[in-house]
Amino acid sequence: MRKLILLVGLCLLVGCARTQPAPQKTEDEPPPIKSVDVVKATPQETTLAPGESGVVLVRLQIKDGYHVNANPPSQSYLKPTQIELKPAEGISVEFITYPDPLIRTFAFSETPLKVYEGATEIRVNLKADMRASPGKHNLSAQLRVQACDDKVCYAPGAMDLIVPVNVK
């Protein structure tokens, strides 16, 4: 009798330990939303003379129904929209100005949040030093965003950009 109970218990244990097959993805199921797919970033070309400062605009177009966190964000745990440019060939970043945020209320937050929606621009002040060589320069940049809709926020993402700068 003992052996029978032990055998039944062992069978139950082995049966419960089997893994279930992963659910099959259907064709109707949309792919997961990525923050970088919600935002289109377009750096505008700028021209600087050696020794001059100037502004390059990075235009953001955020898909309807979505927003990204402002910089600075409303809460410390939210990921801000942030751009980083690598200085190159005698061109450096002086400072970056982020747009004024919109204040919105969402179902997932008890407090209103600072966000960007629709079309907006980030202003990057650049300086060409006196040794900057004339011609076209492409500065590498990275834009980090965290997109949300009115119910949830998605994983933050980053996109690589090229910022065209002409030195006269």
Side-chain angles (χ1 to χ4, degrees), residues 4 19 26 37 67-68 83 87 137 149:
L4 181 61
T19 59
T26 65
D37 294 337
H67 64 271
V68 294
I83 192 164
H137 301 266
D149 59 26

Side-chain angles (χ1 to χ4, degrees), residues 43-69:
Q44 304 301 297
E45 190 169 329
T46 193
T47 300
L48 303 172
E52 267 188 2
S53 294
V55 174
V56 65
L57 299 175
V58 179
R59 293 193 171 131
L60 304 182
Q61 183 61 52
I62 301 147
K63 286 185 181 179
D64 288 343
Y66 296 93
H67 64 271
V68 294
N69 295 312

Side-chain angles (χ1 to χ4, degrees), residues 6-155:
L6 184 60
L7 183 61
V8 169
L10 186 59
C11 288
L12 285 174
L13 182 63
V14 169
C16 291
R18 288 186 185 168
T19 59
Q20 297 295 319
Q24 296 297 314
K25 193 173 186 179
T26 65
E27 289 183 28
D28 296 338
E29 192 174 315
I33 294 171
K34 295 180 182 176
S35 288
V36 295
D37 294 337
V38 171
V39 179
K40 181 181 179 187
T42 310
Q44 304 301 297
E45 190 169 329
T46 193
T47 300
L48 303 172
E52 267 188 2
S53 294
V55 174
V56 65
L57 299 175
V58 179
R59 293 193 171 131
L60 304 182
Q61 183 61 52
I62 301 147
K63 286 185 181 179
D64 288 343
Y66 296 93
H67 64 271
V68 294
N69 295 312
N71 188 331
S74 307
Q75 305 291 331
S76 61
Y77 63 87
L78 296 173
K79 301 296 181 199
T81 297
Q82 188 171 18
I83 192 164
E84 184 177 317
L85 279 83
K86 294 181 183 163
E89 305 175 38
I91 302 168
S92 60
V93 176
E94 290 184 308
F95 59 92
I96 298 170
T97 305
Y98 291 93
D100 291 334
L102 303 169
I103 307 297
R104 298 284 191 250
T105 304
F106 300 100
F108 60 83
S109 176
E110 292 180 12
T111 59
L113 301 178
K114 297 176 189 175
V115 300
Y116 305 134
E117 295 176 340
T120 193
E121 294 177 336
I122 299 172
R123 298 173 59 89
V124 180
N125 283 62
L126 299 174
K127 180 167 178 87
D129 67 30
M130 293 303 290
R131 296 171 285 131
S133 58
K136 188 172 183 172
H137 301 266
N138 289 320
L139 276 66
S140 295
Q142 187 175 69
L143 178 70
R144 290 186 289 280
V145 294
Q146 181 176 26
C148 309
D149 59 26
D150 63 343
K151 294 184 177 89
V152 297
C153 287
Y154 302 98

